[in-house]
Amino acid sequence: MKTQSPDSIIARTEPGTLRGLACVLRSAVAVLAKDLRCEFRVKQAISAILLFAVTSCIAVSFTLSAYGGNSPVSATLLWIVVYFSAMSGLSRSFVREEDMRTAALLRLSTSPGSVYLGKLAFNWLLVTALQIVAVPLLIVFLGMNVSGWAEFAGVMLAGGLALSAGATTAAAMVSKAATKGAVFAVICFPLLAPALAASIHGSSLAMDPRAIMSAAGDIRILASYCGTLITASLMLFRFIWED
Amino acid sequence: MISLCVSDLTHEYDERLVFRSVSLEFEGSCLSITGHNGSGKSTLMRILAGLLTPTQGRAEFSCDGMRVARDSLRNMVGLAAPDVGLYGELSARENLAFLSSVRFGRIDSKRIERTLESVGLAERSDDPVNELSSGLRQRACFAAAILHEPPILLLDEPSSNLDDRGVAMLKELIALQKERGMVIIATNDASEAALAQETLRLGVAH
């Protein structure tokens, strides 16, 4: 029986090389595909998120439909719905791994960077699905107007990524805690407050036909926030994930 | 040749001492770890697999005289233990396909088939793991541990859910692993411990 020598193994997984980066990305795609497959079978996170989104959109429309034309109010309501709906499901990706005792299997099989990137991509897809449902509902129920669709889409994508990046890191931190739900919300809010503020401001500008300023500045802020948070998370994630 | 060096290993959970100053040098193909419940067998297995950092001391594997770094342990070690679960909503084949993707960057179907057959799970490989009996689930865990043909295999209470045929399969698996490299078995079963060249007995922690 042929055994692998440590030399060949170290060469295959060596970080900091293009080959090492390709390995990390391939493994991240595998983690994403596995999470999507599991989610399609149990529909836990997506059900929680979409149920919360639909319920809150309808609840908001009962009393606040008169404010649909007011872009700051509409933008704030939109992001409140997106933020709290996302919080109801985004922690599941890591919490489930700990609850089902599969976290050890993942730790034994792939690098922390692959796990983080795979979970981040999964959470971003969940937030995007949430936005695809919540935005049309608010347009219909609240009479929300969007004047600059390209900028609005840019804010949604960047804001969604920021939300996912913060929530992924926070979910990994709380996954071993006894009171996961409460701790997750407590950690997420201060971490995500700057991104939430920029998302609301950018969305408001993209909705307002009389706006003098462009939402491009907010998109740049969100992109910088995502870049910083994802880089820092990739560097620190192994200390959260291992042990 | 693979060797294991454990020196002055101590571990505590919060302030509860699990074991203290465990030392061992082993160069061979099969080591067993025995001890009563709570003596730290599973904790020691997690430390050896690189899943847990000991409070004090070191546990290191060497291969042909080269120390195996912690980052490389992932490729060198396979662990089958009660606290290492599989994805219950996926089948055993899908679990192995996922592990193949993260380990090799592709789904190696031939290797997956070979592994499923070696643990006697080929016929039930498409059933969700949640729907398998505890014995078949145990076999699926063995498959996950040996898929990458690791030079070091760690088995924690391996025969706990197995029937006679399962135990026979396990003995074949251990014999094969002895040829491949090293197998470490944490057990209280005398017949399993007898397969080892050396036994480490963990005592009562005070």
Side-chain angles (χ1 to χ4, degrees):
Chain A
M1 185 65 66
K2 193 182 171 189
T3 60
Q4 293 169 298
S5 76
D7 280 343
S8 65
I9 289 160
I10 290 161
R12 209 179 71 210
T13 58
E14 194 174 8
T17 63
L18 275 179
R19 200 175 167 194
L21 182 65
C23 280
V24 168
L25 291 179
R26 268 200 304 266
S27 297
V29 170
V31 172
L32 168 64
K34 180 269 299 174
D35 277 354
L36 285 175
R37 183 169 283 187
C38 289
E39 183 56 34
F40 280 127
R41 302 243 166 114
V42 295
K43 298 180 183 69
Q44 241 176 3
I46 196 80
S47 309
I49 286 175
L50 294 185
L51 185 69
F52 198 105
V54 172
T55 314
S56 50
C57 283
I58 293 170
V60 159
S61 73
F62 285 149
T63 49
L64 295 172
S65 55
Y67 297 95
N70 184 326
S71 58
V73 173
S74 297
T76 308
L77 287 174
L78 167 65
W79 280 99
I80 286 174
V81 168
V82 169
Y83 176 81
F84 285 103
S85 304
M87 289 305 105
S88 67
L90 292 192
S91 66
R92 294 299 307 159
S93 57
F94 278 105
V95 171
R96 246 184 119 256
E97 300 279 1
E98 292 293 342
D99 289 351
M100 306 298 287
R101 297 179 293 114
T102 49
L105 183 74
L106 214 47
R107 286 188 186 101
L108 286 166
S109 313
T110 189
S111 67
S114 303
V115 175
Y116 177 76
L117 290 175
K119 298 283 183 191
L120 170 63
F122 175 73
N123 279 346
W124 194 19
L125 283 178
L126 279 183
V127 172
T128 306
L130 158 68
Q131 289 169 331
I132 287 169
V133 171
V135 170
L137 281 177
L138 285 174
I139 287 173
V140 172
F141 291 139
L142 208 60
M144 194 174 85
N145 296 312
V146 178
S147 55
W149 275 104
E151 285 184 352
F152 184 76
V155 173
M156 284 290 126
L157 281 174
L161 179 59
L163 206 64
S164 312
T168 304
T169 308
M173 289 164 78
V174 306
S175 60
K176 289 178 190 166
T179 50
K180 298 175 177 73
V183 179
F184 182 63
V186 167
I187 292 178
C188 272
F189 184 70
L191 194 63
L192 292 172
L196 208 53
S199 301
I200 292 170
H201 189 251
S203 304
S204 173
L205 289 176
M207 287 176 189
D208 190 352
R210 293 162 301 170
I212 301 165
M213 285 169 66
S214 151
D218 291 298
I219 296 173
R220 275 198 293 273
I221 290 172
L222 286 169
S224 308
Y225 176 89
C226 291
T228 309
L229 187 59
I230 292 170
T231 307
S233 296
L234 274 171
M235 289 165 71
L236 299 173
F237 185 70
R238 71 176 310 136
F239 301 106
I240 301 170
W241 179 238
E242 291 175 351
D243 264 23
Chain B
M1 176 63 83
I2 295 165
S3 61
L4 168 65
C5 178
V6 176
S7 57
D8 197 24
L9 200 69
T10 298
H11 195 74
E12 294 172 2
Y13 283 117
D14 296 325
E15 288 185 358
R16 189 178 65 81
L17 183 67
V18 183
F19 49 73
R20 179 191 293 158
S21 299
V22 175
S23 294
L24 165 83
E25 284 202 22
F26 177 70
E27 194 170 301
S29 59
C30 189
L31 170 74
S32 68
I33 301 169
T34 61
H36 60 78
N37 294 343
S39 60
K41 298 188 294 296
S42 297
T43 301
L44 181 54
M45 294 297 258
R46 287 179 73 85
I47 290 170
L48 294 178
L51 289 173
L52 198 61
T53 306
T55 310
Q56 188 187 307
R58 290 188 311 174
E60 289 173 348
F61 288 101
S62 298
C63 186
D64 297 330
M66 282 176 63
R67 190 179 68 81
V68 179
R70 189 172 176 174
D71 280 347
S72 303
L73 267 181
R74 198 176 296 127
N75 300 302
M76 297 284 286
V77 169
L79 170 66
D83 55 355
V84 180
L86 295 180
Y87 295 95
E89 53 277 75
L90 304 183
S91 67
R93 189 188 303 280
E94 287 170 331
N95 270 286
L96 295 191
F98 163 62
L99 293 175
S100 173
S101 301
V102 291
R103 286 192 178 281
F104 312 119
R106 66 191 176 88
I107 297 173
D108 188 341
S109 302
K110 282 184 185 167
R111 185 191 284 259
I112 292 170
E113 286 307 320
R114 199 169 61 230
T115 308
L116 286 168
E117 276 169 24
S118 70
V119 298
L121 204 62
E123 284 177 18
R124 301 287 304 275
S125 58
D126 291 319
D127 294 356
V129 169
N130 274 344
E131 292 175 14
L132 298 177
S133 67
S134 54
L136 290 177
R137 224 176 293 167
Q138 180 86 329
R139 289 172 185 241
C141 289
F142 292 148
I146 63 168
L147 178 74
H148 56 299
E149 295 173 0
I152 303 155
L153 181 62
L154 308 175
L155 301 172
D156 189 359
E157 304 285 358
S159 63
S160 53
N161 295 308
L162 299 179
D163 57 13
D164 290 345
R165 284 169 65 188
V167 171
M169 177 279 300
L170 175 64
K171 286 189 175 161
E172 273 177 39
L173 194 110
I174 290 171
L176 190 69
Q177 184 61 32
K178 281 178 168 178
E179 289 172 26
R180 187 184 285 155
M182 182 187 283
V183 56
I184 300 177
I185 311 166
T187 184
N188 281 321
D189 184 316
S191 66
E192 274 169 26
L195 298 170
Q197 293 144 328
E198 270 187 47
T199 297
L200 171 66
R201 288 186 179 82
L202 293 178
V204 183
H206 294 290

